[in-house]
């Protein structure tokens, strides 16, 4: 019989991920801090609980999809949290992007309580969550990974076991470095080219066809060209992720000089009141420095 799935955190990512599981035929029990978002999904195969503890009390596998380390720590190990209600033999799968140190600590707390935990952060954005094509990087035991594999296959396409507890979060930090630095590079190129008089769409066309081509230029083309920065993935979440990457760099003795600069760019954007914009709005920081909005003549 298919395992019953608990799902906590039904935001931009969690809601479509949970919906895909329901549509795949799984029975779900849902919790969201703002109850209305859970009620939107409720139906024949999905019920709404009043706390993470209550979710855990009736699920075989509990998935969490929350913003940051303190949120996951509270929902998993805090009052009325998952570990208070969890059933023997259950599996907890945290799919949020959080600190590898916190991921390892929570996996240890779960183990002490007699249950298993995986860290399984994702990449692929809201579109990947809706389409069920996320890339999922998983830390934890091989056995637990195999147990969760069928669920991962509903939510994602590239599913990789990358190591022991915390390893999924380490790989996610690597991913977030490359994404942030690529946004910065594309933004600098677009502002330079545009202020020098070249049409931004032509710059993207040409760069896409050569070694400089990348998925950000492809998927975020319209965001850049139309200055449409509704999230997507919020600047404040990406700032959180570079903080995780920089802390990991410090822990392992790895200098990340350009990551540190882009981290400061994100911090400046937050201070400018753009923390809730999509991360493609890094473009606006470079535009501000150049006193030039792309596509508006030099
Ligand atoms: P989001 O839209 O802000 O959703 C966060 C969810 O967590 C909401 O349901 C929120 O409840 C709930 N929540 C927040 N704080 C909580 C707390 N202290 N206790 C209980 N529930 C709490 O965020 P998201 O974009 O889905 O991102 C979720 C995670 O996925 C993050 O770690 C992010 O870095 C990662 N991620 C996001 C993307 C993306 O493109 N968005 C891509 C890859 C990975 P309310 O409804 O009450 O606010």
């Amino acid at each position: 019989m298919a395992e019953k799935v608990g799902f906590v955190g039904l935001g931009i990512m969690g809601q479509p991920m949970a919906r895909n599981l329901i549509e795949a035929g799984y029975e779900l029990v849902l919790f969201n801090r703002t109850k209305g978002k859970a009620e939107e999904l409720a139906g024949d195969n999905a019920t709404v609980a009043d706390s993470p503890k209550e979710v855990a009390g009736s699920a075989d596998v509990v998935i969490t999809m929350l913003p940051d380390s303190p949120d996951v720590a509270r929902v998993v190990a805090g009052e009325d949290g998952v570990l208070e209600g969890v059933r023997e033999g259950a599996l907890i799968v945290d799919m949020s992007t959080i600190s590898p140190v916190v991921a390892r600590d929570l996996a240890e707390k779960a183990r002490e309580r007699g249950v298993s935990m995986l860290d399984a952060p994702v990449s692929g954005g809201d579109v990947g969550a809706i389409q069920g094509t996320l890339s999922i990087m998983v830390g934890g035991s091989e056995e637990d990974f195999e147990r969760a594999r069928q669920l991962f296959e509903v939510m994602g396409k590239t599913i990789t076991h990358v190591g022991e507890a915390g390893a999924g979060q380490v790989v996610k930090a690597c991913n977030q470095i490359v994404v942030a630095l690529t946004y910065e590079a594309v933004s600098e190129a677009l502002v330079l080219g545009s202020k020098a008089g070249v049409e931004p769409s032509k710059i993207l066309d040409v760069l896409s066809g050569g070694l400089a081509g990348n998925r950000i230029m492809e998927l975020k083309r319209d965001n850049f060209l139309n200055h449409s920065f509704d999230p997507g993935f919020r600047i404040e979440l990406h700032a959180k992720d570079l903080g995780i990457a920089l802390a990991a760099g410090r822990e392992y003795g790895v200098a990340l000089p350009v990551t540190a600069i882009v981290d400061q760019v994100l911090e400046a954007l937050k201070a400018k009141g753009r923390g809730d914009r999509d991360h493609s709005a890094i473009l606006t920081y470079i535009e501000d420095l150049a006193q030039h909005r792309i596509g508006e003549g030099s």
Side-chain angles (χ1 to χ4, degrees):
M1 204 178 76
E3 299 201 279
K4 187 164 175 184
V5 181
F7 208 113
V8 180
L10 301 164
I12 289 179
M13 298 296 285
Q15 186 156 65
M17 290 160 71
R19 181 174 290 115
N20 285 337
L21 289 169
I22 295 167
E23 285 174 1
Y26 284 96
E27 194 183 342
L28 262 73
V29 50
L30 308 163
F31 173 80
N32 193 63
R33 189 177 55 179
T34 308
K35 203 171 183 179
K37 290 188 200 166
E39 285 165 349
E40 277 172 36
L41 284 179
D44 289 346
N45 265 348
T47 55
V48 178
D50 284 324
S51 67
K53 177 181 174 180
E54 196 183 312
V55 167
S58 60
D60 305 301
V61 179
V62 180
I63 297 174
T64 50
M65 193 52 168
L66 302 159
D68 201 354
S69 307
D71 309 309
V72 178
R74 198 170 309 132
V75 161
V76 172
E79 199 183 328
D80 270 341
V82 173
L83 288 179
E84 281 192 2
V86 79
R87 302 198 292 199
E88 208 183 312
L91 173 66
I92 303 169
V93 183
D94 177 40
M95 302 190 75
S96 329
T97 303
I98 66 166
S99 146
V101 176
V102 175
R104 279 195 292 269
D105 179 53
L106 289 173
E108 178 58 24
K109 284 197 168 81
R111 201 186 57 75
E112 284 164 8
R113 181 79 176 69
V115 295
S116 302
M117 184 158 181
L118 295 171
D119 48 293
V122 307
S123 71
D126 55 327
V127 175
I130 292 164
Q131 295 178 346
T133 56
L134 292 167
S135 187
I136 307 176
M137 46 221 102
V138 188
S141 79
E142 185 78 42
E143 190 188 335
D144 293 332
F145 172 70
E146 288 305 330
R147 178 174 172 187
R149 186 193 280 277
Q150 282 190 331
L151 295 170
F152 292 145
E153 283 171 352
V154 172
M155 296 181 279
K157 209 162 68 176
T158 308
I159 295 140
T160 314
H161 182 222
V162 292
E164 291 303 312
Q169 297 295 353
V170 170
V171 177
K172 176 67 185 181
C174 299
N175 183 81
Q176 293 306 78
I177 290 173
V178 175
V179 172
L181 272 53
T182 305
Y183 271 116
E184 173 71 20
V186 173
S187 298
E188 291 188 13
L190 279 173
V191 175
L192 172 65
S194 173
K195 195 170 181 185
V198 182
E199 204 181 301
S201 62
K202 295 217 164 102
I203 299 169
L204 290 176
D205 289 346
V206 174
L207 268 55
S208 298
L211 191 56
N214 61 70
R215 301 253 300 149
I216 283 170
M217 288 196 313
E218 187 190 319
L219 296 175
K220 298 288 176 161
R221 180 185 175 95
D222 292 342
N223 301 66
F224 292 129
L225 296 181
N226 302 330
H227 288 87
S228 58
F229 300 122
D230 284 345
F233 187 64
R234 298 196 306 275
I235 296 254
E236 61 199 9
L237 285 178
H238 212 139
K240 176 245 329 174
D241 293 352
L242 291 195
I244 291 169
L246 291 170
R250 202 169 279 271
E251 192 187 344
Y252 292 105
V254 179
L256 303 168
V258 185
T259 303
I261 293 172
V262 180
D263 174 64
Q264 296 300 296
V265 169
L266 296 176
E267 215 45 50
L269 283 162
K270 280 167 59 185
K272 282 170 179 283
R274 298 176 203 162
D276 67 344
R277 302 289 74 209
D278 186 69
H279 49 175
S280 47
I282 287 177
L283 175 71
T284 64
Y285 177 84
I286 307 300
E287 288 181 329
D288 289 355
L289 292 181
Q291 295 289 301
H292 171 79
R293 189 177 151 99
I294 65 162
E296 290 193 351
S298 48

